[in-house]
Short mmCIF file of all heavy atoms in Angstrom, two decimals:
data_model
loop_
_atom_site.label_atom_id
_atom_site.label_comp_id
_atom_site.label_asym_id
_atom_site.label_seq_id
_atom_site.Cartn_x
_atom_site.Cartn_y
_atom_site.Cartn_z
N ILE A 372 99.93 100.88 96.10
CA ILE A 372 101.24 100.34 96.44
C ILE A 372 102.16 101.56 96.49
O ILE A 372 102.35 102.26 95.51
CB ILE A 372 101.70 99.34 95.33
CG1 ILE A 372 100.77 98.14 95.25
CG2 ILE A 372 103.13 98.86 95.63
CD1 ILE A 372 101.14 97.13 94.19
N ALA A 373 102.71 101.81 97.66
CA ALA A 373 103.52 103.01 97.93
C ALA A 373 104.81 102.96 97.12
O ALA A 373 105.20 101.90 96.64
CB ALA A 373 103.83 103.10 99.43
N PRO A 374 105.45 104.14 96.92
CA PRO A 374 106.71 104.15 96.12
C PRO A 374 107.88 103.62 96.90
O PRO A 374 108.94 104.21 96.93
CB PRO A 374 106.88 105.66 95.79
CG PRO A 374 106.24 106.37 96.94
CD PRO A 374 105.07 105.48 97.37
N SER A 375 107.67 102.50 97.56
CA SER A 375 108.71 101.80 98.29
C SER A 375 109.50 100.99 97.29
O SER A 375 109.16 100.82 96.14
CB SER A 375 108.09 100.86 99.34
OG SER A 375 107.09 101.55 100.10
N ASN A 376 110.63 100.42 97.75
CA ASN A 376 111.46 99.58 96.94
C ASN A 376 110.65 98.32 96.60
O ASN A 376 110.30 97.55 97.45
CB ASN A 376 112.73 99.19 97.69
CG ASN A 376 113.66 98.35 96.82
OD1 ASN A 376 113.27 97.42 96.18
ND2 ASN A 376 114.94 98.74 96.84
N PRO A 377 110.31 98.10 95.30
CA PRO A 377 109.47 96.95 94.93
C PRO A 377 110.05 95.63 95.38
O PRO A 377 109.34 94.73 95.82
CB PRO A 377 109.35 97.03 93.43
CG PRO A 377 109.68 98.45 93.09
CD PRO A 377 110.68 98.89 94.12
N TYR A 378 111.34 95.50 95.24
CA TYR A 378 112.02 94.21 95.43
C TYR A 378 112.31 93.94 96.91
O TYR A 378 112.41 92.76 97.31
CB TYR A 378 113.30 94.18 94.62
CG TYR A 378 113.06 94.71 93.21
CD1 TYR A 378 113.24 96.05 92.90
CD2 TYR A 378 112.50 93.87 92.25
CE1 TYR A 378 112.94 96.56 91.64
CE2 TYR A 378 112.18 94.39 90.97
CZ TYR A 378 112.41 95.71 90.66
OH TYR A 378 112.08 96.21 89.42
N LEU A 379 112.51 94.96 97.68
CA LEU A 379 112.86 94.78 99.09
C LEU A 379 111.75 95.09 100.08
O LEU A 379 111.73 94.59 101.18
CB LEU A 379 114.10 95.64 99.41
CG LEU A 379 115.39 95.30 98.67
CD1 LEU A 379 116.51 96.28 99.06
CD2 LEU A 379 115.81 93.86 98.96
N SER A 380 110.83 95.99 99.68
CA SER A 380 109.79 96.40 100.66
C SER A 380 108.39 95.97 100.25
O SER A 380 107.55 95.77 101.16
CB SER A 380 109.80 97.95 100.76
OG SER A 380 111.06 98.35 101.24
N ILE A 381 108.10 95.78 98.99
CA ILE A 381 106.75 95.38 98.56
C ILE A 381 106.69 93.88 98.28
O ILE A 381 105.75 93.20 98.71
CB ILE A 381 106.23 96.19 97.31
CG1 ILE A 381 106.28 97.69 97.63
CG2 ILE A 381 104.86 95.71 96.89
CD1 ILE A 381 105.33 98.13 98.72
N ASP A 382 107.71 93.36 97.65
CA ASP A 382 107.71 91.93 97.32
C ASP A 382 107.50 90.99 98.55
O ASP A 382 106.77 90.00 98.47
CB ASP A 382 108.99 91.52 96.58
CG ASP A 382 108.87 91.84 95.06
OD1 ASP A 382 107.83 92.33 94.63
OD2 ASP A 382 109.85 91.60 94.36
N PRO A 383 108.12 91.35 99.73
CA PRO A 383 107.85 90.48 100.88
C PRO A 383 106.34 90.42 101.22
O PRO A 383 105.83 89.36 101.58
CB PRO A 383 108.63 91.12 102.00
CG PRO A 383 109.66 91.99 101.31
CD PRO A 383 109.03 92.46 100.03
N ILE A 384 105.68 91.53 101.01
CA ILE A 384 104.21 91.56 101.31
C ILE A 384 103.47 90.65 100.34
O ILE A 384 102.65 89.83 100.68
CB ILE A 384 103.66 92.99 101.22
CG1 ILE A 384 104.39 93.95 102.19
CG2 ILE A 384 102.15 93.03 101.52
CD1 ILE A 384 104.01 95.43 102.03
N LEU A 385 103.87 90.76 99.06
CA LEU A 385 103.22 89.96 98.00
C LEU A 385 103.56 88.47 98.11
O LEU A 385 102.90 87.61 97.53
CB LEU A 385 103.59 90.49 96.62
CG LEU A 385 103.27 91.96 96.31
CD1 LEU A 385 103.75 92.34 94.89
CD2 LEU A 385 101.78 92.23 96.46
N ALA A 386 104.63 88.20 98.87
CA ALA A 386 105.07 86.76 99.02
C ALA A 386 104.30 86.04 100.12
O ALA A 386 104.40 84.81 100.20
CB ALA A 386 106.58 86.77 99.34
N VAL A 387 103.56 86.78 100.91
CA VAL A 387 102.78 86.11 101.97
C VAL A 387 101.57 85.45 101.30
O VAL A 387 100.76 86.13 100.64
CB VAL A 387 102.31 87.11 103.04
CG1 VAL A 387 101.40 86.43 104.05
CG2 VAL A 387 103.50 87.73 103.74
N PRO A 388 101.46 84.14 101.31
CA PRO A 388 100.37 83.45 100.57
C PRO A 388 99.03 84.04 100.85
O PRO A 388 98.66 84.31 102.01
CB PRO A 388 100.47 82.01 101.14
CG PRO A 388 101.89 81.84 101.53
CD PRO A 388 102.33 83.19 102.07
N GLY A 389 98.31 84.33 99.75
CA GLY A 389 96.94 84.86 99.90
C GLY A 389 96.86 86.33 99.60
O GLY A 389 95.81 86.83 99.15
N ILE A 390 97.95 87.10 99.85
CA ILE A 390 97.84 88.53 99.67
C ILE A 390 97.82 88.95 98.20
O ILE A 390 96.93 89.71 97.77
CB ILE A 390 98.99 89.24 100.43
CG1 ILE A 390 98.79 89.08 101.97
CG2 ILE A 390 99.03 90.71 100.05
CD1 ILE A 390 99.79 89.81 102.85
N ALA A 391 98.69 88.39 97.40
CA ALA A 391 98.69 88.72 95.96
C ALA A 391 97.37 88.34 95.30
O ALA A 391 96.78 89.14 94.56
CB ALA A 391 99.85 88.10 95.22
N ALA A 392 96.88 87.15 95.65
CA ALA A 392 95.59 86.69 95.07
C ALA A 392 94.48 87.62 95.51
O ALA A 392 93.57 87.98 94.73
CB ALA A 392 95.32 85.27 95.52
N ALA A 393 94.51 88.08 96.76
CA ALA A 393 93.45 88.98 97.28
C ALA A 393 93.49 90.29 96.51
O ALA A 393 92.47 90.89 96.15
CB ALA A 393 93.67 89.24 98.76
N LEU A 394 94.72 90.77 96.22
CA LEU A 394 94.84 92.02 95.47
C LEU A 394 94.34 91.85 94.05
O LEU A 394 93.60 92.69 93.54
CB LEU A 394 96.29 92.47 95.45
CG LEU A 394 96.92 92.90 96.77
CD1 LEU A 394 98.43 93.04 96.67
CD2 LEU A 394 96.28 94.18 97.29
#
Side-chain angles (χ1 to χ4, degrees):
I372 299 179
S375 311
N376 183 314
Y378 313 94
L379 295 177
S380 300
I381 302 297
D382 278 0
I384 303 173
L385 302 179
V387 175
I390 292 183
L394 292 169

